[in-house]
């Protein structure tokens, strides 16, 4: 490479008329009209029109440009020419061209194609799929969201941690784990950092967060589940469920705000109506939620988890973001703190967006005896939780936390219906590649 | 919990004399001298002395305080009393006490103990080990480093990505992988995001980074290796090895700077001499490196990877941070770009801190034919790389990148000799718990 890029396409303006620039990217389209060639160059920030009249660029450069094909990778040194009729009010007159790589043709998937291919074909050729600005916009918004989430958590005094994904045997119960062979032993892939982040509450680090992959060997095949997902996890000491919900509101609201303010172009590219939520989210109890479902003709008995139909009915009624609180204790994992007055309900909450659960959390049990009792009640063996339980014996403060699905949150922010649209290389039962 | 903490210990000053505060934390020590009790409360930010004279606090509160034991978790509402003789110029006169949880005794590890226990005992009881301010300081610095690294990368136009850790079979060669059973199939845990981040260079995202776990089934048992590690990975398009090295210099330098400026207290707690490096790091070639080793009596032939002894000899000579460049092509993975003039050396670099390799990177091969040839040269089968190779057929720009070990970088920043000190729950061949 002789040169370095001086400007992304979107950084060039008509006011730069006469200035020399170097742009780099892919040949989005090429049109030769006798003695003039129009090349649209695509880079991360947009497109730029390069206009090469034979008379001005000379024989050699003209024939070099003429040989270009769709999706070739090029660097162009050229002069900015203000032109009201050109796409962004300017075009580039090429002075020199470097072909950095060529593309075989036909392409298995054409990034310039207006009609999108089937999802499976797109995922098979994700590197080409991602050249479409609409697809790239999803992942720029995802990156912005992750940046925003961390910013809020740092501001709230959280410390970033990394907990192990290779675990000996501990399981929270309820979810299938992927087994690994770990040298001479069997081990498993962590389904969530739950037990680790709770153990860290006994350290004095007080507020921790982790954004990391989680692995669930569940056989579901839905538009909302994957076998490998990215989870945003927090845990906070000296806090209850209400405190954790407040942090969650801040994290989610600020992410909406940051995407809204910093990713206007991507929102426009996606062509979505992006509305900021209010800073405080509606809160309904589980009892109210099942009343709504029942009123809409979806049968659900007290004590059951919400069925897909119930979620849809409730989501239709509630719209946007809302919490469901006061869950029946039996619907939640063993570490959930029961209500002092009525132990049949517990201090758990879900954050929903319409009919999609995007986060789940609770105040946790910090009392050793109650925790052991609850593990047994769920039909699990406390002996499988030795290391975890140790942390509750020597001074465990009250604590609460939640997990927020990064992939699902991206679905909400980009208004996608299938979680696979929000993950670069999704993993489900059928798909382990690319 | 009746209350919420109003102040961390370090937020209270003598100037707040007379003010009511609520502090929460662990009983670090307790000393009853007849009619007066001294309690040191420890929280994340430090310690605070609570002084309870029987006469002032009354019979009931006095006897409540007297019952406290080491590592109980308490909340204290009290009044700040300026006192020149007290540790930070003030003490707390308790008005009310809430015991949030009690600690069993004896403790398997005493956080107040001056003499640290054996590493194995400490890792077994990591939640107690982490109560020691020196240990906690390591992880606060680690969190600061990660925050700083992302800040630099965002500023340099990088997009955060998440690539899959469950992979079908592709291997870079050289490293053993952990096998998983993935439903009906066999799969593996990713040893690095290398192939994915390179595929993303064909998308137009241009600059991507990922901070995520990597898994290596290597049987080594050293103070510098773990089987699960956290890797900071970047890849950048339209760039060569020199560009990637510049980004690495910025990332590393800024992390030093941010730790230096924002974690002064932790540096002091660790008792280390923390020196800022210069903004540009020394650069020596592989040839110069082996000359240094040979001059110090460590035999090493051209074309060999550096032995541990060679690293030590070179590190002794070079000190601090330095690059080793121009590596023999045969010592590096198949995707490394050979030098145009002398294909026996390649555009690879390592970043060293003394004798510790903390980062490894290179310009990569972006040309399909050369890449296939190189895969074969290394004795690997191109058929195992179908998805990866596809991305090179349809317009792959020149690109470069590196991986920086987050755990090793933390070792450097905190001056630790064993990588296990810098990982909350380390994983090695012997250790899968807690």
């Amino acid at each position: 490479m002789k040169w370095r890029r001086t400007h992304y396409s979107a950084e060039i303006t008509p006011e730069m008329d006469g200035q020399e620039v170097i742009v780099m990217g892919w040949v989005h389209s090429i049109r030769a009209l006798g003695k003039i060639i129009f090349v649209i160059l695509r880079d991360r920030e947009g497109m730029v029109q390069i206009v090469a009249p034979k008379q001005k660029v000379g024989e050699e450069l003209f024939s070099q440009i003429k040989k270009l094909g769709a999706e070739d990778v090029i660097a162009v040194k050229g002069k900015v020419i203000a032109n009201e009729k050109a796409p962004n009010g300017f075009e580039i007159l090429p002075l020199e061209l470097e072909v950095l790589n060529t593309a075989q043709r036909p392409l298995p998937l054409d990034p310039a194609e207006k009609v999108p291919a089937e999802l499976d074909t797109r995922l098979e050729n994700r590197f080409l799929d991602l050249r479409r600005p609409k697809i790239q916009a999803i992942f720029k918004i995802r990156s912005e969201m992750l940046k925003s989430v961390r910013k809020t958590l740092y501001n709230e005094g959280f410390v970033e941690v990394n907990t192990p994904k290779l675990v000996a045997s501990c399981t929270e119960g309820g979810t299938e784990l992927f087994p690994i062979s770990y040298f001479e032993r069997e081990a498993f892939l962590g389904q969530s950092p739950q037990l680790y982040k709770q153990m860290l509450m006994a350290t004095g680090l007080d507020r921790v967060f982790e954004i990391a992959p989680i692995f669930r060997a569940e056989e579901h095949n839905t538009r909302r589940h994957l076998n490998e997902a990215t989870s945003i996890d927090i845990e906070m000491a000296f806090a209850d469920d209400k405190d954790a919900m407040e942090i969650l509101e801040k994290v989610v609201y600020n992410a909406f705000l940051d995407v809204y303010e910093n990713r206007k172009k991507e929102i426009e590219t996606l062509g979505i109506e992006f509305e900021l939520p209010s800073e405080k989210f509606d809160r309904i109890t589980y009892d109210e939620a099942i009343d709504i479902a029942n009123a809409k003709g979806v049968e659900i008995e007290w004590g059951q988890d919400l069925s897909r139909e119930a979620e849809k009915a409730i989501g239709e009624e509630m719209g946007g973001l809302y919490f469901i609180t006061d869950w029946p204790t039996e619907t939640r994992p063993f570490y959930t703190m029961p209500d002092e007055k009525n132990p049949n309900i517990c201090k758990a909450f879900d954050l929903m967006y319409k009919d999609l659960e995007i986060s789940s959390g609770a105040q946790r049990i910090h009392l050793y005896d109650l925790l052991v009792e609850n593990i047994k009640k769920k039909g699990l063996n406390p002996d499988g939780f030795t290391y975890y339980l140790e942390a509750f014996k020597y001074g465990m403060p009250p604590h609460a936390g939640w997990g927020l699905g990064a992939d699902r949150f991206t679905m909400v922010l980009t208004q996608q219906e299938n979680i696979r649209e929000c993950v670069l290389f999704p993993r489900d039962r059928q798909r382990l590649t690319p």
Side-chain angles (χ1 to χ4, degrees), chain A:
Chain A
M1 282 206 313
K2 291 188 285 191
W3 307 318
R4 290 296 175 275
R5 174 191 277 136
T6 61
H7 296 80
Y8 274 113
S9 57
E11 293 168 338
I12 305 174
T13 61
E15 288 68 40
M16 289 164 63
D17 185 54
Q19 196 176 316
E20 206 172 283
V21 294
I22 296 168
V23 290
M24 299 191 180
W26 285 260
V27 174
H28 187 71
S29 70
I30 181 161
R31 217 158 32 109
L33 303 172
K35 297 203 156 130
I36 187 163
I37 310 175
F38 295 87
V39 176
I40 306 284
L41 179 145
R42 189 188 63 244
D43 64 23
R44 187 172 78 182
E45 306 302 330
M47 312 225 188
V48 61
Q49 179 166 272
I50 294 155
V51 182
K54 193 174 190 173
Q55 218 184 352
K56 281 193 187 164
V57 302
E59 194 79 45
E60 199 186 347
L61 181 55
F62 188 81
S63 79
Q64 223 191 329
I65 293 173
K66 206 170 174 182
K67 278 188 218 125
L68 291 176
E71 301 304 319
D72 284 349
V73 186
I74 57 172
V76 177
K77 184 189 274 185
K79 202 186 267 187
V80 179
I81 310 283
N83 176 356
E84 278 180 20
K85 288 178 214 147
N88 298 302
F90 72 90
E91 55 197 30
I92 305 281
L93 174 72
L95 302 172
E96 229 181 305
L97 168 77
E98 192 184 8
V99 179
L100 297 170
N101 213 342
T102 55
Q104 292 183 20
R105 281 169 291 270
L107 298 152
L109 191 77
D110 185 356
E113 192 72 62
K114 293 286 178 293
V115 187
E118 290 293 312
L119 182 59
D120 250 8
T121 312
R122 289 173 43 216
L123 292 178
E124 286 288 307
N125 299 282
R126 197 55 148 162
F127 68 98
L128 285 172
D129 185 42
L130 281 158
R131 290 187 193 171
R132 293 174 55 216
K134 274 202 186 200
I135 307 300
Q136 228 175 77
I138 295 170
F139 293 95
K140 288 177 185 167
I141 289 173
R142 182 182 165 116
S143 176
E144 186 72 37
M145 175 273 286
L146 291 172
K147 180 181 173 186
S148 170
V149 166
R150 289 198 194 87
K151 189 180 67 178
T152 303
L153 292 174
Y154 289 134
N155 285 344
E156 296 290 331
F158 284 77
V159 175
E160 179 170 3
V161 295
N162 304 99
T163 67
K165 307 306 152 205
L166 300 175
V167 297
S169 70
C170 271
T171 158
E172 298 169 34
T175 295
E176 293 295 319
L177 302 183
F178 288 114
I180 344 168
S181 60
Y182 191 77
F183 302 112
E184 300 77 16
R185 284 181 274 177
E186 188 179 53
F188 299 93
L189 284 176
Q191 67 180 94
S192 97
Q194 181 64 33
L195 306 189
Y196 288 98
K197 62 183 186 166
Q198 282 194 263
M199 286 161 76
L200 289 173
M201 292 302 96
T203 64
L205 277 171
D206 260 24
R207 295 180 163 208
V208 302
F209 81 89
E210 178 169 25
I211 302 182
I214 57 170
F215 307 92
R216 299 188 177 181
E218 287 162 359
E219 301 195 355
H220 41 53
N221 181 15
T222 82
R223 290 147 71 95
R224 309 177 319 283
H225 293 93
L226 287 173
N227 296 105
E228 178 175 348
T230 302
S231 183
I232 301 164
D233 270 277
I234 75 139
E235 201 71 21
M236 56 200 291
F238 303 101
D240 66 13
D241 48 331
K242 301 293 179 293
D243 299 310
M245 287 164 77
E246 252 179 58
I247 297 286
L248 184 53
E249 277 177 325
K250 284 184 193 172
V251 161
V252 168
Y253 176 79
N254 289 343
F256 265 91
L257 190 64
D258 283 332
V259 167
Y260 180 74
E261 289 183 345
N262 306 326
R263 293 295 176 176
K264 287 198 192 310
K265 194 169 75 183
E266 284 73 22
I267 290 169
E268 203 189 298
T269 302
L270 280 171
I272 56 176
E273 296 274 339
F274 191 94
E275 267 178 47
L276 278 185
S278 60
E279 289 191 50
K280 292 286 160 192
F281 310 153
D282 286 340
R283 296 180 184 202
I284 57 170
T285 62
Y286 169 87
D287 287 7
E288 290 166 337
I290 60 170
D291 283 350
I292 292 170
N294 286 332
K296 286 188 177 270
V298 180
E299 287 287 319
I300 181 156
E301 264 180 68
W302 198 95
Q304 290 181 317
D305 207 346
L306 300 182
S307 62
R308 187 71 196 117
E309 289 62 41
E311 284 179 343
K312 282 184 179 163
I314 300 159
E316 205 180 289
E317 178 76 19
M318 296 298 298
L321 289 158
Y322 61 98
F323 283 108
I324 304 178
T325 63
D326 300 271
W327 287 77
T329 305
E330 60 194 297
T331 63
R332 310 297 281 205
F334 67 80
Y335 45 75
T336 313
M337 181 64 100
D339 189 87
E340 294 88 349
K341 287 169 201 148
N342 175 7
N344 290 326
I345 63 167
C346 65
K347 298 187 173 190
F349 56 86
D350 278 358
L351 178 62
M352 308 290 295
Y353 180 83
K354 294 179 182 165
D355 63 357
L356 185 71
E357 176 204 317
I358 60 170
S359 175
S360 200
Q363 182 177 339
R364 325 294 189 182
I365 295 173
H366 62 287
L367 304 166
Y368 179 83
D369 294 337
L370 182 57
L371 189 56
V372 172
E373 190 188 310
N374 259 36
I375 289 173
K376 287 182 189 160
K377 260 193 205 160
K378 294 279 175 186
L380 297 165
N381 186 348
D383 293 346
F385 297 87
T386 316
Y387 282 102
Y388 172 69
L389 285 172
E390 277 296 293
F392 291 78
K393 284 187 187 167
Y394 305 99
M396 173 64 93
H399 59 282
W402 43 257
L404 167 64
D407 315 308
R408 288 190 175 188
F409 192 23
T410 308
M411 288 171 74
V412 171
L413 291 167
T414 59
Q415 298 177 21
Q416 298 299 309
E417 296 294 326
N418 191 330
I419 195 166
R420 288 161 189 78
E421 295 285 357
C422 299
V423 174
L424 286 169
F425 302 100
R427 292 291 179 257
D428 59 32
R429 190 163 170 184
Q430 280 71 44
R431 183 169 287 287
L432 249 176
T433 50

